């Protein structure tokens, strides 16, 4: 899912020349270095930092909601699954 998220974010941020490069290289296994070029573009666009922020915000929101229902369902049930998702 992370790959799809990165691509969708990139498509919102790229300029026309970057879009052309992305269209040419994304998923292109025949051109050597295409994956590194796409990764470099993602870095240039700030996507690793954006992903980290979004992941942290999602975790915080989930953790808050888990604590809200703690009197009904033991938090450990959700926290184990949340930890698994973060490892993905």
């Amino acid at each position: 899912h992370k790959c799809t998220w990165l691509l969708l974010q990139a498509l919102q941020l790229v300029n026309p020349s970057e879009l052309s490069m992305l269209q040419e290289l994304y998923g292109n296994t025949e051109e050597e270095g295409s994956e590194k070029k796409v990764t470099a573009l993602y870095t240039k666009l700030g996507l690793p930092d954006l992903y980290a922020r979004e992941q942290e915000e999602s975790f915080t929101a989930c953790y808050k909601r888990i604590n809200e229902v703690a009197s009904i369902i033991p938090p450990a049930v959700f926290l184990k699954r949340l930890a698994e998702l973060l490892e993905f």
Side-chain angles (χ1 to χ4, degrees):
H1 302 291
K2 183 178 178 181
C3 292
T4 303
W5 184 90
L6 287 168
L7 177 61
L8 292 174
Q9 295 303 310
L11 290 173
Q12 295 177 32
L13 299 171
V14 294
N15 63 40
S17 66
E18 292 167 335
L19 176 59
S20 177
M21 183 192 86
L22 194 55
Q23 289 172 325
E24 178 185 334
L25 297 176
Y26 189 83
N28 184 345
T29 57
E30 294 180 15
E31 183 169 333
E32 189 171 329
S34 61
E35 184 176 337
K36 287 183 180 183
K37 290 176 184 174
V38 170
T39 301
L41 176 60
Y42 288 171
T43 301
K44 177 184 172 191
L45 295 171
L47 295 183
D49 293 334
L50 179 60
Y51 184 82
R53 283 192 308 272
E54 296 242 350
Q55 186 179 35
E56 180 64 30
E57 289 172 9
S58 293
F59 175 80
T60 300
C62 288
Y63 193 77
K64 180 181 174 187
R65 186 68 180 129
I66 289 167
N67 285 327
E68 289 172 359
V69 298
S71 64
I72 302 168
I73 302 170
V77 172
F78 297 110
L79 293 175
K80 180 180 178 189
R81 182 64 181 133
L82 186 58
E84 291 170 357
L85 289 172
L86 289 174
E87 290 176 6
F88 177 74

